[in-house]
Amino acid sequence: MMRNSLCYLFFICAYFLNGQTNDTVVLNFNEYLGFVKKYHPIAKQAELTIAIGQANLMKSRGGFDPKIEVDFDTKEFKGTDYYDRLNATFKIPTWYGVTLKGTFEQNDGEFLNPESTVSEDGLYAAGVSMSVGQGLWINERMATLKQAKFFREQSMADRDLLINEILYQASLAYFDWLEAYNESKIFDNFYENAKIRFNGVKQSAASGQVAAIDTVEAKIAVQDRLLNFEQAKVRLMNTSLKLSNFLWLNDNIPLELQENVIPDQNLNKEIDITLEILGVPLDSFTIENHPKLKSLDFKIKALNVDKNLKANKLLPKIDLEYNFLTETPALINSLQTPNYKGGIRFEVPLFLRKERGDLKLAKFKLQDAEFDFKNAEIAIKNKIIAIYKELDSFEIQNSLIDEIVQNYTTLLLAEERKFSFGESSLFLINSRESKLIDAELKKNQVQNKFFEAKAKLFNSLASNPKNL
């Protein structure tokens, strides 16, 4: 087991090797979601829903399987052979409440009921039984088979919904990890800048070019940047652990993300392709193909079958049976109408309270599902429209925050230049730098929200990517 685990770890490291330096390995977004879809337990569980649907369909088709029934009774007491009775039946159920039957009956004994007396070679019968009232157009086995077919189709839509949801959650975890990684890089860079500035101020103070108190302010800036950097590293560690929850290998082996694995910095170029939302304008979306609505539609169809079954039970039960009798089944012309066994069975409740109550409940369930469908339809439509507008807004926000960062960078560089000429102070430099840090963090947050909005669009469309 340990050897297999090491092999898998070696494989995933080699597989994720893209844009690698000597110390780091890039975990691409596309490859990451590919592993989630293929190996995550919930993704595998989603595939089970289809297998369950197929199993239910097979089970319901069993209601139409041919059957062989054999009844044999014998009684012997104090040396007397009371009776030996053999009745073998072969039944073929068909769709519209009709059952084809073939029987063989052979009985003998000293105390045999006269009606059971047949020839020594036995008596053969071929006939049909059917319901002409309740159960003619729909019965339990017909309804079960129809519902199983709808359940199978519904399970395919539900599978897409489950896979889409786990990929959506995994995407959010990746975006949080990327945001935390960028945040740690921001504080790391400014921490290094603060150390360089501190060393420069310390040397200037030693030569008398600046006041000694400036070294205290420069040191405070170093400590503040270091504090922020340490806090960012803790958040990065937490987000990487959260990301590890979605990383599994074959044979249900969980994978822990190593410290040298980093997210893709060029995610904006591949996120639309990976989530398969590239070039999908709002007017191209067809609401009828949404898996959630398809699932609800199949549920409604199954409930409609149940309602029809309950309505059919308001009819009286009228079961007819007719069998040709013969002692020589090898001769086709021996099956003649004068030799027969038949019967009729009639049954109807006087008040039909149970049947009427079941029908009302079935109608209520159907109405409830139809309300769910209408509510889901408008909710999905409005949510998708809102997300498209949100994405348009983020395009503008990203452009604005880029300009803001550039302007704050320009101000900081100008202030540092003025400081080198003795025309500024360390306080102003730290103030400019703090503004730039805030802008960089804001840019990182806006980018993360932009990615999350794309993931929400993916989740709202409920698509199941085919290329992962």
Side-chain angles (χ1 to χ4, degrees), residues 431-448:
S431 177
R432 299 289 190 195
E433 189 176 66
S434 295
K435 293 291 186 180
L436 178 58
I437 292 174
D438 291 341
E440 291 275 12
L441 293 175
K442 185 68 174 178
K443 178 182 178 181
N444 191 31
Q445 292 171 1
V446 171
Q447 176 185 258
N448 184 62

Side-chain angles (χ1 to χ4, degrees), residues 70-82:
V70 178
D71 291 331
F72 178 71
D73 292 328
T74 183
K75 180 179 179 181
E76 185 173 340
F77 183 66
K78 294 183 178 180
T80 301
D81 184 9
Y82 276 63

Side-chain angles (χ1 to χ4, degrees), residues 104 128 238 248 263 267-268 293 322 330 350 441:
F104 171 71
V128 62
N238 291 335
W248 295 73
L267 180 58
N268 198 37
L293 298 182
Y322 185 89
L350 293 180
L441 293 175

Side-chain angles (χ1 to χ4, degrees), residues 48-170:
L48 287 178
T49 59
I50 296 180
I52 293 172
Q54 293 285 12
N56 276 316
L57 181 59
M58 180 186 294
K59 177 182 176 182
S60 64
R61 283 174 173 162
F64 296 90
D65 288 344
K67 297 179 181 179
I68 296 178
E69 300 176 359
V70 178
D71 291 331
F72 178 71
D73 292 328
T74 183
K75 180 179 179 181
E76 185 173 340
F77 183 66
K78 294 183 178 180
T80 301
D81 184 9
Y82 276 63
Y83 58 79
D84 290 308
R85 295 186 303 218
L86 173 64
N87 192 310
T89 305
F90 178 67
K91 295 180 180 179
I92 304 177
T94 61
W95 185 251
Y96 287 109
V98 177
T99 302
L100 303 178
K101 298 171 60 177
T103 62
F104 171 71
E105 185 179 1
Q106 189 175 43
N107 308 312
D108 59 35
E110 295 187 21
F111 295 97
L112 192 66
N113 192 318
E115 72 170 8
S116 300
T117 301
V118 297
S119 64
E120 292 184 0
D121 293 332
L123 184 66
Y124 296 85
V128 62
S129 63
M130 61 181 300
S131 300
V132 295
Q134 183 183 135
L136 177 60
W137 300 112
I138 187 170
N139 52 45
E140 294 286 351
R141 62 173 181 260
M142 293 165 59
T144 302
L145 181 56
K146 286 183 178 180
Q147 289 175 326
K149 289 180 178 179
F150 291 137
F151 178 76
R152 180 188 60 178
E153 298 300 322
Q154 182 182 357
S155 66
M156 293 181 182
D158 290 341
R159 183 273 310 270
D160 289 343
L161 291 172
L162 286 172
I163 291 180
N164 177 272
E165 181 63 26
I166 190 62
L167 292 180
Y168 168 67
Q169 296 297 334

